[in-house]
Amino acid sequence: MTYDIGIGRCAEVIDDTVVVKLESVMVERLQPGHPWQRPGTSLLRLKRSLCSTTRPPQPDREVFLDRAALSKRTMGALDLAGNGSTVSVDLRALLNNLDPQPSAGPQTKSRVGDRKQR
């Protein structure tokens, strides 16, 4: 079973390329130890084919990547300061510390009236 991973807001979609304004946690996965930047400062360019087929990228909406597509060696271009200077990054790092299984869902809470009196 596979699922999609949200990584940030879509800045633009150009032909087969998507530009994403990354959340700081995603920047940390791609460049561990990098000084914190304001969310949305760092930009990531990646192939559109990595995006979810059920939730395709749309400008100013959350970008979801297909987890299975990220499991292969796939590169992207990371612009840490948002100034056009990019470094190549392995996008598999976005999978670090992710539980491969979806959560079990919400748990039911016990109510005071449901408890037995002793």
Side-chain angles (χ1 to χ4, degrees), residues 2-111:
T2 186
Y3 55 92
D4 298 335
I5 301 168
I7 62 167
R9 290 233 174 247
C10 180
E12 61 184 332
V13 179
I14 306 166
D15 298 324
D16 67 338
T17 303
V18 177
V19 180
V20 183
K21 295 179 182 179
L22 288 180
E23 299 295 328
S24 56
V25 69
M26 296 301 164
V27 173
E28 177 64 26
R29 287 183 183 165
L30 293 170
Q31 289 287 341
H34 185 291
W36 185 83
Q37 300 270 343
R38 185 172 52 100
T41 300
S42 300
L43 301 173
L44 177 66
R45 288 187 183 280
L46 52 92
K47 293 179 183 176
R48 188 177 190 161
S49 62
L50 298 174
C51 294
S52 167
T53 55
T54 57
R55 296 184 269 192
Q58 297 177 1
D60 205 33
R61 298 276 179 121
E62 184 76 12
V63 172
F64 291 91
L65 301 182
D66 182 273
R67 185 180 189 287
L70 290 178
S71 63
K72 304 171 194 139
R73 182 172 166 84
T74 305
M75 303 304 285
L78 178 62
D79 179 352
L80 287 167
N83 61 7
S85 178
T86 62
V87 294
S88 185
V89 291
D90 186 348
L91 298 178
R92 289 179 297 181
L94 294 172
L95 299 176
N96 291 345
N97 300 319
L98 287 182
D99 185 353
Q101 298 299 319
S103 67
Q107 301 294 321
T108 57
K109 296 181 180 179
S110 63
R111 296 185 305 203

